[in-house]
Amino acid sequence: MNYIEIFTDGACRGNPGKGGWGALIRQAGKENTIYGGEPETTNNVMELTAAIKALELLEKGSDVVLTTDSKYVMQGITDWIDNWKSRNWKTSAKKPVLNKELWQKLDELVGQHKVRWKWVKGHSGHRENEIADRLANKGIDEL
């Protein structure tokens, strides 16, 4: 197994409100964790931030499997983003894409790696997702 596994999660208390993000990164049999928080944010911003922060740590050209429990992140990066870009960052309803700067950063990072995306149901006992969730909440608690 030569690829890097990343498991991400975001959390918010109030939406908007205090938010946190967390990621578990597994490489060569070793697990590392990262997390952080923002005093005033949204759940979707934290979900995007978790993926961005994890990908920023990797060497360019990494082979990655990124698992998220966020359908927003998963569908945004795999389905919606090409249309957003072709419409100059507008939705199909011609409204500005929310969190555009974060989507652009994530798109840039994904372009630097080989990333395969997986979705997992949150709060379903998935070990690595539960760890990412605890990290995201720790990011809030330590604000």
Side-chain angles (χ1 to χ4, degrees), residues 63-133:
D63 187 4
V64 180
V65 175
L66 196 151
T67 302
T68 178
D69 65 1
S70 170
K71 286 192 174 175
Y72 173 70
V73 170
M74 177 85 178
Q75 288 183 296
I77 199 65
T78 61
D79 296 338
W80 305 333
I81 198 161
D82 289 335
N83 286 328
W84 290 339
K85 289 194 284 190
S86 71
R87 289 192 293 258
N88 198 23
W89 293 96
K90 299 269 192 287
T91 67
S92 57
K94 299 187 175 29
K95 294 197 177 353
V97 171
L98 293 177
N99 307 313
K100 171 184 155 187
E101 293 79 15
L102 292 172
W103 284 114
Q104 289 173 325
K105 181 65 177 171
L106 183 60
D107 186 44
E108 175 192 330
L109 288 164
V110 166
Q112 296 173 11
H113 304 290
K114 179 184 174 194
V115 182
R116 286 163 285 167
W117 293 87
K118 286 187 177 179
W119 179 82
V120 63
K121 183 174 174 27
H123 310 286
S124 63
H126 184 282
R127 176 188 172 269
E128 292 85 356
N129 180 255
E130 297 292 337
I131 291 169
D133 179 68

Side-chain angles (χ1 to χ4, degrees), residues 19-78:
W21 58 269
L24 170 68
I25 303 162
R26 184 185 299 139
Q27 185 173 11
K30 292 190 176 132
E31 290 185 346
N32 294 301
T33 58
I34 58 172
Y35 67 93
E38 297 286 333
E40 186 70 14
T41 189
T42 67
N43 189 61
N44 285 340
V45 167
M46 292 295 92
E47 294 281 3
L48 284 163
T49 300
I52 289 166
K53 294 290 190 183
L55 289 169
E56 284 178 334
L57 293 176
L58 306 182
E59 282 184 34
K60 281 191 175 150
S62 294
D63 187 4
V64 180
V65 175
L66 196 151
T67 302
T68 178
D69 65 1
S70 170
K71 286 192 174 175
Y72 173 70
V73 170
M74 177 85 178
Q75 288 183 296
I77 199 65
T78 61

